[in-house]
Amino acid sequence: MNRYTIAGALDDMRNGRRVLVLCHTQHEARHAFTSMARHALPSETVRRANGEERITAHDGRGWIGFASANGNAFRGMSVDVVVLDHDPSPESLANITPALAASQVGELIRP
């Protein structure tokens, strides 16, 4: 994950948006979490738990979650922004779309 993606995701979180970072594998999702957690402010909550990694803004409104596109961890989530670190298959895109449906922003960021 490059520094521009990290800065953009953290900025969205700090502005109250719910961001989901979808990686190809769970190992890559943990790596993305570690990269982004290094840039979190001391007032932001960094939660490290197996499969439940999350960074939450100091006011609690915005957050960044991390998941594998191959799993079902993001099913049932409602998010404002989905950041993909890989080119998704048509099946993956079909699974991602409902997560953005309830958002007024509904932004999908692809590589």
Side-chain angles (χ1 to χ4, degrees):
M1 182 159 290
N2 67 50
R3 65 186 175 120
Y4 301 106
T5 306
I6 292 170
L10 287 168
D11 187 51
D12 281 346
M13 174 199 70
R14 291 171 183 146
N15 287 312
R17 291 191 176 156
R18 300 159 297 167
V19 180
L20 176 63
V21 177
L22 278 182
C23 299
H24 190 65
T25 65
Q26 190 61 36
H27 178 74
E28 291 171 359
R30 282 191 202 104
H31 179 68
F33 168 75
T34 302
S35 297
M36 212 170 281
R38 283 188 223 131
H39 299 280
L41 299 175
S43 61
E44 295 166 344
T45 304
V46 177
R47 179 176 178 213
R48 291 175 170 88
N50 287 336
E52 299 276 333
E53 290 84 3
R54 181 177 287 217
I55 302 170
T56 306
H58 69 279
D59 62 3
R61 291 184 315 132
W63 52 263
I64 303 173
F66 301 82
S68 166
N70 295 332
N72 293 323
F74 63 92
R75 287 197 172 216
M77 280 187 168
S78 178
V79 297
D80 299 308
V81 180
V82 174
V83 178
L84 297 172
D85 79 334
H86 64 288
D87 286 323
S89 66
E91 296 84 26
S92 292
L93 277 177
N95 291 335
I96 294 167
T97 305
L100 295 167
S103 172
Q104 292 180 348
V105 179
E107 186 175 4
L108 178 64
I109 300 171
R110 297 173 70 163

